[in-house]
């Protein structure tokens, strides 16, 4: 097999903007090269040299985690798809079955699976992995609240302290480790795992600060992968990564590419950009405890003058569809969860309607300047970190729109990321642009933005940054998460949506898709809008599913 040349990274990482970019426009150049049988795939990141090897899948800053190659060595029981139809695909489990209230999971292990050292994968490995999580709090990043682990014949039964309906992925996506290796580890939190043993289709061949080489197993339970070799490479920065992707030196990445049409897509007809639509919009978190956003009338008025089409085309450069539903749910992925009264109800710019709401609430104007009911000029500041180009553009557009239509003095501030993070957690802001978590239900969107339980953490919070406090909504979210029937869940989430629309605790601005760049030069079968079987991000647990779906191009 011919190994393609690589340009290796040698510098420090630069901050990767939480951004998206556009596809569409100019016609791409035709690729002159024919498919190369047995070609390797180079999977790239823009984070600079990875100097220390660690293949511990549980440690966040291990090289296996940072580069993503843990996902082709260690496999989960099942893979939960955050896009498409949100289906669950059994993987190391032949079958997974929840009880009615999702407090108990029965797992049937897949037969015929072996670890890459030849040992058999069994139910004991599942039990061991979950016992390891339960006994090592640092590994329980999903707070799964596991209360009991038992074997029932050939099956494994897991019991939980609360319903896992809204957090199924946190359980099912956990990657298994072998008992016969890890049982001898004295401290699993510091274990570097130099010779990683997993059930996945690839094994570690070599590691250096420039690249990691993975080779396909010939005894993988799922069959022989189409791609025989994977190179994981960390380039110096986004510019170097973009150049590598555009030229075909790198094949697969999740990255921000400015002016993606000219910088990447037009360079080769095989270059593909796919933003996977998930239930995770970008929103403006509003400080509901301070002027001016403590007034629901003002929140409603601002919500009515934001140009979401401009945000999609200018700030996000058409990376994903426009956010249209007043429920904040991106469509079509969230369509099934929209309450009947909001089906087809979309955001519209309505400046006169917004002014009418303000007038009814006691606002006036002095010239073009908006004056609040206390006789004070209305002003506020929008914050996002410097360098987050799409977010900076997004809040600049919003500031201009609100100032020109309503007369409020809207300013833009771009502090460093550490200052911004502290401000958002402490609530020392007027408004910030921020993402929401993506799940397979609407729960994450509404909990992240409205759930009073976040506020119990104290002065610093990890979501509900605007400190919206509505005990009824908090209880409804709890009902949704713990209900034992679809009817109960539906009733609860419809009431939550009504509060979201009428109270405007946050302002939904745009979709926040999972980005992926890849090429079809040598392999086809990648996920797409037509076949969204998984997100295309190589850092996600579903990377193994994507690789096993690839076939040689003809």
């Amino acid at each position: 097999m011919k190994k393609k040349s690589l340009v290796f990274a040698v510098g420090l990482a630069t901050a990767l903007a939480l951004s998206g970019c556009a596809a569409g426009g100019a016609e791409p150049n035709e690729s002159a090269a024919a498919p190369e049988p047995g070609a390797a795939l180079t999977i790239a990141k823009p984070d600079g040299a990875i100097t220390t090897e660690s293949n511990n899948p549980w440690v966040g800053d291990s090289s296996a985690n940072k580069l993503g190659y843990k996902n082709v060595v260690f496999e989960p029981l099942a893979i939960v798809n955050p896009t498409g139809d949100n289906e669950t695909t059994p993987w190391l489990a032949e079958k997974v079955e929840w009880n009615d209230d999702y407090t108990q999971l029965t797992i049937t292990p897949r037969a015929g699976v072996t670890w890459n050292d030849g040992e058999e994968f069994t139910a004991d490995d599942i039990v061991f992995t979950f016992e390891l999580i339960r006994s090592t709090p640092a590994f329980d990043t999903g707070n799964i609240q596991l209360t009991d682990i038992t074997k029932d014949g050939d099956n494994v039964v897991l019991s939980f302290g609360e319903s896992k309906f809204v957090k199924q992925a946190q359980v099912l996506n956990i990657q298994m480790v072998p008992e016969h290796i890890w049982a001898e580890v004295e401290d699993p939190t510091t274990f570097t795992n130099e010779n990683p043993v997993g059930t996945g289709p690839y094994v570690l061949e070599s590691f250096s600060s420039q690249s990691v080489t993975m080779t396909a197993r010939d005894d993988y339970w799922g069959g022989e992968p189409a791609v025989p070799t994977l190179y994981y490479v960390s380039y110096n920065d986004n510019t170097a990564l973009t150049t590598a992707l555009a030229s075909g030196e790198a094949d697969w990445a999740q990255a921000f590419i400015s002016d993606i049409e000219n910088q990447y897509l037009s360079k080769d007809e095989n270059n593909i950009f796919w933003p996977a639509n998930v239930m995770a919009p970008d929103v403006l978190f509003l400080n509901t405890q301070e002027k001016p956003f403590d007034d629901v009338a003002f929140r409603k008025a601002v919500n009515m003058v934001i140009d979401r089409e401009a945000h999609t085309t200018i700030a996000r450069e058409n990376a994903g569809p426009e956010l249209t539903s007043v429920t904040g749910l991106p469509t079509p992925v969230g369509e099934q969860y929209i309450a009947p009264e909001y089906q087809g109800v979309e955001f519209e710019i309505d400046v006169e309607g917004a002014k009418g709401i303000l007038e009814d609430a006691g606002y006036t104007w002095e010239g073009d300047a908006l004056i609040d009911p206390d006789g004070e000029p209305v002003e506020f500041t929008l914050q996002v970190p410097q360098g987050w180009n799409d977010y900076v553009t997004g809040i600049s557009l919003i500031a201009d729109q609100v100032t020109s239509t309503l007369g409020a003095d809207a300013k833009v501030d771009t502090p460093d990321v550490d200052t911004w993070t502290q401000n958002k957690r402490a609530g020392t802001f007027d408004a910030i642009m921020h993402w929401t978590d993506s799940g397979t239900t609407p729960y994450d969107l509404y909990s992240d933005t409205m759930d009073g339980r976040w506020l119990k953490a104290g002065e610093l919070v990890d979501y509900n940054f605007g400190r919206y406090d509505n005990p009824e909504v908090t209880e409804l979210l709890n009902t949704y998460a713990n209900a034992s029937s679809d009817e109960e869940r539906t009733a609860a989430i419809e009431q939550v949506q009504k509060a979201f629309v009428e109270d405007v605790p946050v302002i939904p601005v745009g979709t926040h898709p999972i980005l992926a760049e890849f090429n079809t030069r040598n392999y086809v079968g990648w996920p797409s809008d037509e076949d969204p079987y998984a997100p295309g991000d190589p850092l996600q647990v579903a990377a193994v599913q994507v690789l096993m779906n690839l076939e040689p191009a003809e």
Side-chain angles (χ1 to χ4, degrees):
M1 178 183 58
K2 182 180 179 182
K3 180 176 177 180
K4 66 178 74 175
S5 63
L6 301 175
V7 176
F8 297 132
V10 294
L12 295 175
T14 55
L16 178 61
L18 290 164
S19 309
C21 309
E27 289 295 322
N29 296 326
E30 292 188 3
S31 174
E36 179 186 344
L41 275 182
T42 296
I43 300 166
K45 286 197 73 181
D47 295 344
I50 305 295
T51 57
T52 303
E53 179 183 4
S54 172
N55 304 309
N56 189 325
W58 308 108
V59 176
D61 63 355
S62 70
S63 56
N65 254 313
K66 284 184 173 180
L67 291 174
Y69 63 87
K70 74 164 188 174
N71 296 314
V72 300
V73 177
F74 304 102
E75 297 184 296
L77 297 172
I79 299 173
V80 181
N81 187 7
T83 189
D85 294 329
N86 303 141
E87 68 276 13
T88 294
T89 302
W91 206 255
L92 286 182
E94 196 78 52
K95 182 174 66 172
V96 292
E97 186 175 3
W98 294 94
N99 66 352
D100 288 344
D101 63 2
Y102 288 81
T103 58
Q104 193 171 85
L105 174 67
T106 301
I107 303 155
T108 303
R110 186 178 297 278
V113 176
T114 60
W115 300 97
N116 61 31
D117 62 357
E119 293 284 333
E120 183 183 2
F121 167 76
T122 69
D124 290 332
D125 294 304
I126 298 174
V127 171
F128 173 81
T129 299
F130 281 101
E131 287 284 12
L132 180 64
I133 292 170
R134 183 163 65 163
S135 62
T136 314
F139 290 174
D140 189 11
T141 56
N143 188 28
I144 62 174
Q145 299 188 27
L146 188 58
T147 59
D148 194 32
I149 309 165
T150 60
K151 286 178 64 176
D152 181 11
D154 293 332
N155 294 335
V156 175
V157 180
L158 305 179
S159 300
F160 303 91
E162 65 176 16
S163 171
K164 295 290 111 178
F165 175 74
V166 298
K167 300 292 182 182
Q168 294 175 59
Q170 276 83 342
V171 177
L172 296 175
N173 285 356
I174 288 173
Q175 292 158 317
M176 299 293 104
V177 296
E179 180 181 18
H180 67 278
I181 300 294
W182 285 73
E184 305 301 321
V185 175
E186 184 173 338
D187 184 355
T189 65
T190 60
F191 181 43
T192 57
N193 198 22
E194 291 183 7
N195 299 301
V197 174
T199 59
Y202 293 87
V203 295
L204 177 63
E205 180 176 296
S206 65
F207 175 92
S208 75
S209 62
Q210 289 85 26
S211 69
V212 174
T213 302
M214 312 293 294
T215 56
R217 292 173 58 180
D218 57 11
D219 61 346
Y220 177 57
W221 65 267
E224 183 179 0
V227 184
T229 307
L230 304 175
Y231 300 128
Y232 286 82
V233 178
S234 186
Y235 290 84
N236 188 56
D237 53 29
N238 246 31
T239 300
L241 174 58
T242 299
T243 300
L245 285 167
S247 68
E249 182 181 273
D251 301 298
W252 189 11
Q254 180 273 105
F256 165 58
I257 300 179
S258 180
D259 189 16
I260 197 169
E261 175 60 41
N262 292 319
Q263 296 298 319
Y264 173 65
L265 292 170
S266 65
K267 303 300 183 183
D268 191 315
E269 65 178 358
N270 292 303
N271 288 348
I272 305 296
F273 170 60
W274 185 53
N277 196 17
V278 294
M279 281 187 277
D282 285 329
V283 303
L284 284 182
F285 277 93
L286 312 171
N287 190 334
T288 62
Q289 303 299 309
E290 303 287 344
K291 276 188 171 186
F293 292 112
D294 61 344
D295 184 358
V296 66
F298 186 68
R299 300 199 298 266
K300 285 182 176 180
V302 173
N303 193 33
M304 293 168 67
V305 300
I306 289 178
D307 187 342
R308 291 170 176 85
E309 181 180 3
H311 179 82
T312 301
T313 58
I314 299 172
R316 296 288 288 174
E317 300 185 50
N318 292 313
E322 182 181 340
L323 187 66
T324 57
S325 173
V326 295
T327 65
L329 285 171
T331 54
V333 67
E335 194 78 48
Q336 60 183 310
Y337 296 107
I338 296 176
E341 68 177 301
Y342 298 122
Q343 287 284 345
V345 183
E346 299 186 347
F347 290 115
E348 294 180 356
I349 298 175
D350 184 1
V351 176
E352 292 308 311
K355 287 182 175 180
I357 287 174
L358 292 174
E359 288 175 347
D360 290 344
Y363 290 78
T364 57
W365 283 264
E366 290 183 2
D368 292 331
L370 180 64
I371 306 300
D372 71 18
D374 295 327
E376 298 176 349
V378 178
E379 58 182 16
F380 65 90
T381 300
L382 294 157
Q383 283 187 11
V384 296
Q386 58 188 353
W388 290 15
N389 296 336
D390 61 335
Y391 273 18
V392 172
T393 301
I395 64 170
S396 298
L397 287 170
I398 291 170
D400 289 344
Q401 290 156 6
V402 174
T403 299
S404 63
T405 58
L406 300 181
D409 183 9
K411 304 179 181 68
V412 168
D413 182 32
T414 57
D416 63 83
V417 68
D418 290 339
T419 300
W420 178 79
T421 300
Q422 176 64 23
N423 289 345
K424 76 173 184 180
R425 296 194 67 206
T428 52
F429 64 85
D430 296 327
I432 59 170
M433 181 89 82
H434 202 284
W435 59 94
T436 54
D437 288 330
S438 64
T440 55
T441 73
Y443 177 84
D444 290 280
L445 162 60
Y446 296 133
S447 177
D448 286 355
T449 56
M450 306 173 73
D451 201 330
R453 286 171 292 187
W454 290 109
L455 307 182
K456 295 180 180 179
E459 293 184 2
L460 301 179
V461 302
D462 292 317
Y463 259 120
N464 191 1
F465 304 114
R467 287 163 168 74
Y468 175 78
D469 192 6
N470 184 328
E472 182 180 355
V473 168
T474 299
E475 184 56 36
L476 287 167
L477 286 165
N478 186 59
T479 298
Y480 183 82
N482 292 284
S484 57
S485 71
D486 288 340
E487 292 78 14
E488 192 177 3
R489 277 188 285 270
T490 298
I493 208 66
E494 287 181 357
Q495 292 180 69
V496 169
Q497 279 186 8
K498 190 174 185 67
F500 185 88
V501 174
E502 294 184 353
D503 263 8
V504 196
V506 299
I507 295 178
V509 178
T511 56
H512 191 89
I514 299 174
L515 309 182
E517 293 88 12
F518 46 81
N519 66 65
T520 57
R521 193 171 301 111
N522 296 312
Y523 298 100
V524 296
W526 300 92
S528 64
D529 282 333
E530 292 71 33
D531 187 16
Y533 63 87
D537 179 359
L539 302 179
Q540 303 254 344
V541 69
V544 65
Q545 186 179 12
V546 174
L547 284 163
M548 294 308 298
N549 201 64
L550 297 184
E551 297 177 352
E554 296 181 356

